[in-house]
Amino acid sequence: MNNRNRVLTVNDLQTTFFTDSGEIPAVDHIDFHLHDGEILGIVGESGCGKSVTSLSIMGLIPSPPGKIVGGEILYDSLNLTRLSEKEMRKIRGNEIAMIFQEPMTSLNPLFTIGNQMIEAILIHEKGWSKKKAEERAIEILKLVGLPRADGLMKEYPHQLSGGMRQRVMIAMALVCNPKILIADEPTTALDVTIQAQILKLMKELNVRLGTAILLITHDLGVVAETCERVIVMYAGQIIEEAPTKLIFENPQHPYTKGLIQSVPDMRFKKDRLHSIPGNVPKPGSIKSGCRFAARCEFAFDRCLHENPELYSTADVHQTRCFLYDEERVTVDEHKAIIES
Amino acid sequence: ACGKGSSSSKEDTLVFGRGGDSTSLDPSRVTEGETFKVTVNLFETLLNFGEQDTTIQPGLAKEWNTDDGLTYTFNLEEGVKFHDGTDFNADAVVANFERWANGDADKFPYYNSMFGGFKGDEGHVIESVTADGEYTVIIKLKRPQAPFLKNIAMSMFAIASPTAFEKGDDQFERNPVGTGPFEFVEWKANESITIQKFDGYWQKGLPKLNKVVFRSIPDNSARLNALIAGEIDLADGINPSDAEKIEGDDKLQLIKRPSMNVGYLGLTVTRPPFDKKEVRQALNHAIDKETIINSFFEGQANAAKNPMPPSISGYNDDIEPYEYNPEKAKELLAKAGYPDGFEMELWAMPVPRPYMPDGAKVAEVIQSNLADIGIKAKIVSYEWGTYLDKASKGEADAFMLGWTGDNGDADNFLYVLLDEDNIGSNNYTYFKNTKMHDLFIEAQTEVDEDKRVELYKKAQVIIHDEAPWVPLAHSTPLLAAKKGLTGFLPHPTGSDLLSNVEFK
Amino acid sequence: MLSYIGRRIMQLVPVLLGMVFIVFMMIRAIPGNPAQLILGQQATAEAIATMNAKLGLDQPWYTQFFKYLGGILQGDLGESMRTRLPVADEIWPHLAATIELAFFAIIIAIIIGINAGIISAWFQNSWFDYIAMILALVGVSMPIFWLGLLGQWVFAIEFSWLPTTGREQVRDPVHAITNLYIIDTMIQGRFDQLWQVMRHLILPGVALATIPMAIIARMTRSSMLEVMRSDYIRTARAKGQKMFWVVYKHAFKNAVIPVLTVIGLQMGMLLGGAILTETIFAWPGIGRYIYDAINFRDYPVIQSSILVIAFIFVMINLVVDLLYGLIDSRIKYD
Amino acid sequence: MSGKTPKLDGIIEDEKEKTNGPWREAWRSFRKSKSAVAGMIIIIFFILLALFGPLIAKEGINEQFAPDRFQPPSSEYWLGTDDFGRDILSRIIHGSRISLSVGFLSVIASVIVGSFLGIVAGYYGRWTDTIISRVFDIMLAFPSILLAIAIVSVLGPGLENALIAIAIINVPNFGRLIRSKVLSIKEDEYIMAAKAIGMKDARILYSHILPNSMAPVIVQGTLAVATAILEAAALGFLGLGAQAPQPEWGKMLADSKAYLQSAPWTMIFPGLSIMLTVLGFNLMGDGLRDALDPKMKS
Amino acid sequence: MSTKPLLKVENLKKYFPLKKGLFGRTVGFVKAVDDLSFHVNEGETLGIVGESGCGKSTTGRLLMRLLEPTEGVVEFDGKELTSLTQEEMRITRRDIQMVFQDPYASLNPRHTIGKILEEPLIVHGVLDQIERKKKVKEFLEVVGLNEYHAKRYPHQFSGGQRQRIGIARALMTNPKLIIADEPVSALDVSIQAQVLNLMQDLQKDFNLTYIFIAHDLGVVRHISDRVAVMYLGKIVEIAESEQLYERPLHPYTRALLSAVPVPDPDFQKEQIIIEGDIPSPADPPTGCTFHTRCPFKMDSCTKVTPQLNEQSLGHSVACHLYDSKVDNDIKQMEGSL
Ligand SMILES: Nc1ncnc2c1ncn2[C@@H]1O[C@H](COP(=O)(O)OP(=O)(O)OP(=O)(O)O)[C@@H](O)[C@H]1O
Ligand SMILES: Nc1ncnc2c1ncn2[C@@H]1O[C@H](COP(=O)(O)OP(=O)(O)OP(=O)(O)O)[C@@H](O)[C@H]1O
Ligand SMILES: [Mg+2]
Ligand SMILES: [Mg+2]
């Protein structure tokens, strides 16, 4: 897995919203990367910064009030944070495409599907004739499993069901064969049976087209079924990162553990759910110490004053928790002993 | 016809800005001045007024005479043609009189009031109008009517082309055909009326202008602005306050219309406390006419002491005006039983009129004058229609109003405005005096001018003493024109003949 | 669609009937007698009585009302009491004058207002946004009669750049065909006159345009801001679309409906509400016509012209509603 | 595990902040908007002027002093004098009383009548709704200024009648607003919740629906004061509103428009006063809308 | 747990008329709830699941008569609710309370929490002012909030706290039955667990009966004793929750269960992905409403509407596969599943 190319690398990214009521560090020093052709999941509760991360990559942070204040986003070796709006436009939709949570509102209600598909093509394929673009649009609509693609071209979004719209969104994202597809909670608004259809489609496309997918979700089930690797976010930070299997078998961060335990499982009945006390904090509301300390049953002194780093506990497993800092502590202690 | 004037290099189109549009172009059917302003140039009357007064001059009739004041003979101009080519002759005149006499008050309101009714009516003055040959017309009256010739000279009794009006009255008032120096071209409602030189006009060399456009600009200041900007050449209804400025402008000239009007404050004698003569006299003493004239007529007026202007024969100049004297006024009030004054409504005119350019403001001065003698006056105003209606019903305590003479006869002021016969119409004060009434009736049938003058002078003494009015001013209505405009002689009646006007 | 229009017009009937009734009753409540006004100060009591009879004013109100209604149903708007002309003939030139002015004004207002609103929303919180919005606020707060007078003073009198009043150069009057002078001069190929007509439109047009312009700008801005937050705008940008097209194609089309509503309402307002401008600029329009008619108690004129204006007003709304459907296929007319 | 006792949950990280009601909250966000505060300052300025100005302005408003006619602004007459030689500043100060009271009173009257009709129409629906809505439709199909002119013609010109006319023409605006508000609040889930606890209709109306429709009424009301002032001035300008010698701004404008060129100050200042006051209300209305309308809140 | 039915529903229907045109002609009906029959025993939790628009919320509202049913009988605690007058019903609402999906929208933004909680007591005229305040305080604590929260407004709380307030409000009048319409679907996972636990605790403490509406099958299983599965306004299957999840009978239930992603990457499940979308309730398919998407569609499915049949004790299903006539076929089908 490691020998695969990194198509996207995020280093120390910081995105802050400068609002009337203060600065909100919605994304607070995050590092991660996406391999060629993999499906990487990002999970976390509402407001933890998942969408802001993805919008930062796309260069679509609403500004003002938002701004990328630090770090870099490397697409291959191109730093996206440095690009001009014009250069960025060439990347968007062409190299990196994105689909959003709400299929109901993500399509412009006043233009036909065809119009919006063709637009997406012509933006990047300057020399194409309208006819050619239309053919391509129909081809790709068929690819995402939409019946009567020809007819759909002339229809308006409101004439389609939610599942169909999400398929159109995916088709629109794929028209230019992007390297990366960012999917921000693509199925949250859909019914389970429809969700299953869409997830299946995304997996198929990932295999067929080799598109790397960054799948954002808050549903651990979706992650378990779809992703190879998972990032868990909490209050603007990555708190754990590991291959999917590892996360579920051996969750390390107390929050990840709690999260996994608090989901009612359909397969069997738990007597009582585990519950993490307290509320999900807003980014920036906790100034010092570990963001999770206040809700953490294992919290100790250090947690309240110092923010832990991401500690690698295994080759592919990283956790932001002092509980996994033991090694270092011991090393430091050794040093101290030797020096004395 | 359009676009005709645009090419010629000599300036021969006059744009005359005025306050309102005409309602009709058939002068016999309306009573309103804006119509006559136009029709006086389209039509002619048997007799004319003087250029700037109301003396009787020849018109379409070059001579006229009467022996007994009952039979009048008119000898007509020959070779005159209507704009439509119809010949003007005695038959045409008869046809016009027949038309009027067979109408009703609704159709020909002025005929009704000037000649006492229509054919068959008891009060109808005209016995018959007949042609005696091509160019002689004989008018017989039932009884003498003193101002008869003046009446004949009024612009409403203009002679129209029978061919034209026989097509129908309603059709005619949109397409007027007369013998005047100008013929009708176009009427754009509320915007402009265009008339142009009548090539077949009988008086050689007239008119001097090729075209005249009457343009309605309701707002006085806007009209002046248009004049300054050169969009119009002549503007009626200039605010007295602008006079100084116009005189100072070397591109403009100020033109004064001879005054034949009176502006007054009427006191409704049926409403206490104005039923008391002393109170009415007190008001006469209390009001500072000088300030009013200086401030709101900008000096373009004379203080009034009688209900008619001095230019009209019969004016009594011997009358001593009530002096401005608040103390005396207070005394009179006390005598009448109001030592501490009282409260009253003071009705202010909502619209500017030549005799009262700014009623509301004058009312404010009067209000403060009255306050000086302890009378609390509340200024009330209705819009014009209501104002007249309510005032004529005697609902006002004191109201401002005025009158512009139609034919320059004393009867047209005194009888119309103050006689008991006109209570409910133009006598808004409800003033009644038998002695005065008798004088008026006598004067109406008296043909001897000197005797008439005496009668009216006597009447004025009575009016002065009874004081149903506070006569305020005889204003000089102002016009302004472009510098090069000559030959424009404004007429006291407000109907200005433009045939001599030209640009230099 | 056609049946929708038909139904809408059917729904109009009670509104218009109600209006006729209200206007009818209201103007009869205005004190003052038309006969007196027609006949003038000199009129005798009997003349007034004859006149009343002739005008039918001596009949009970319901007889008058139903007579009037009956006339309207036959397309007869009555006859002016003052000028004795059929109201239908008289109305058009006045209405045309106002329509020309109102259209000119609304077009200025739309072009400037919409673009100012769009740009303000696009560059929210920029100096352009601030200045445009302050101007817009000043615009809605403007007593237009004051603005008109000042404009007249500065541009027509002090600098003589523009004519002070009227619709045309009176010395060279436009030959009226449709009474819409812009069209008339074009039909006749008189482009010199067209130029003059346009010059006459500018001052009153701008004065009249001020308020709608400001309202449209504000409405466009807020509607655009709302739309710009929506998901499909993000989608359009994620496709790599240029901001210009995102704003003018995707966002504007979605933002335009409330703006259209406002435009429709304002246009209706301009048609009848131009009285002040018409007074100041001696514009021979319908507002002035009605105002004079009120002063003269010219009942048929008041009734009919208000009816006509209201009818146009409601028709504008209908057109606006139909436009919604053209823009937004989700809106169905059935 | 801490999940055992639900009582523990939720109270962590709950600092005891002050209670902030929605009104206080609105006030906070209102205060943040510079333009809203500017608007409020303008209004307060004019209100103070109206209340105390007459004490300061020593010149009588109606004292005519003919020798001082048309004095340009000077140290003696800050804003100059008019055609009666009256001090324009004093008249403007007194005029603020008229404009503000016409603005406020007419709007209050239309809010009361409009709310009543709107609630009846919105809450009871059916034929009352149909009738009331139709009447509103009819009234709204008149150009408002024409309607005002017609009403004033019926009642007779004068300040009180102008006020009544303005109040009448604004009734349908408020009526519709309230009606639509009532209709939309009726569908809100907390109304469902109130019904679910067995609340009576009347109580729902006055304890839930009314308070929640107040915010837009306040916003609309503030903006309506602005238009009312403009309308009053327009009527004054046409001679149908305030009568002489009342120093109403619109009337002052009309009285002095003849002197635009010779004494421009006579009309510039009243016009400015109208514009400023109206601007103040518009600014404040905008600020209130942002503060009170939850839809605009981010 | 007693087996006495607290609530009995028979043939409950709600058709919303589709209006059209100037005079509001009715041109059709949205059959939001179409012929439901079920019962809820005292002290138990009945879960109702189904995809969006299938009529879950409508059912909930019909039970409280917040909507008037088109047809059918609701019997609560021996009383026939559907025949009560408005006033009687209003009073009866003391005993049936509701918890809503969107905790923010269901709280009046202009009232303090104290007022919101006190209101049910005022409305039903129970207790005097002092006692009411005491009870408010008590119940705030019951749901894990604090006394001082009474002075605050809804917008000052987090989603989970608001939902606690919603629950507290429902408890104020000591109801017997609580209808919870998706009470946790707007909440985050970790918060959801808190609220579910709270609801379970309260059920024990106050001997409550729940009707728990949700679309999350995991949550429903966790909290329910029995579960009803709805599809297009009809119950297609109802059973003890163990039964339903372990041995689902209806093809829709199976598809639904198989579609739920399981948070366990190692778990291998049968994948039945049903094609297509839910048809519109305004124009439901004839016969079995599921036949358009059913992998086991038979001829009879397009024509005959299947009735709920009890297959084993307490386990009913509405599917022609289980009609006795086609008993043989079932066995074959079962094999192939
Ligand atoms: N336009 C904005 N202005 C101010 N703050 C913002 C804005 N957008 C996001 N934030 C802040 O950034 C934080 C992260 O938001 P983000 O949308 O990334 O959350 P998320 O993880 O996607 O949540 P969800 O699951 O609800 O979509 C939020 O807490 C929010 O306060
Ligand atoms: N007042 C109403 N008028 C008309 N149709 C309605 C009304 N309320 C609900 N419906 C329709 O009835 C059907 C069932 O709605 P309901 O709200 O009960 O579904 P639900 O199962 O609760 O869905 P969700 O999971 O989205 O909340 C839907 O198709 C809806 O459109
Ligand atoms: Mg998000
Ligand atoms: Mg629901």
Side-chain angles (χ1 to χ4, degrees), chain E residues 175-203:
Chain E
K176 297 189 178 121
L177 174 68
I178 288 187
I179 299 168
D181 187 0
E182 314 223 16
V184 294
S185 56
L187 305 177
D188 273 326
V189 202
S190 65
I191 310 301
Q192 174 178 312
Q194 296 170 10
V195 172
L196 288 175
N197 287 343
L198 171 69
M199 286 188 69
Q200 281 182 316
D201 293 342
L202 294 171
Q203 183 166 39

Side-chain angles (χ1 to χ4, degrees), chain A residues 92 100 105-106 108 119 124, chain C residues 231 235 239 241 250 254:
Chain A
R92 279 185 215 136
F100 299 97
T105 55
S106 294
N108 194 324
E119 183 190 18
H124 298 290
Chain C
D231 292 347
T235 308
K239 285 187 210 170
Q241 183 59 284
H250 287 274
N254 279 282

Side-chain angles (χ1 to χ4, degrees), chain B residues 313-361:
Chain B
S313 82
Y315 184 79
N316 190 343
D317 208 14
D318 299 331
I319 282 182
E320 193 59 35
Y322 292 101
E323 54 173 334
Y324 171 57
N325 188 340
E327 288 313 313
K328 201 157 180 186
K330 276 192 204 156
E331 275 169 35
L332 282 166
L333 274 188
K335 211 161 118 196
Y338 298 96
D340 304 320
F342 49 86
E343 288 184 13
M344 61 175 271
E345 281 188 354
L346 173 60
W347 289 26
M349 285 183 34
V351 287
R353 279 289 177 267
Y355 47 79
M356 189 72 67
D358 199 335
K361 291 190 171 169

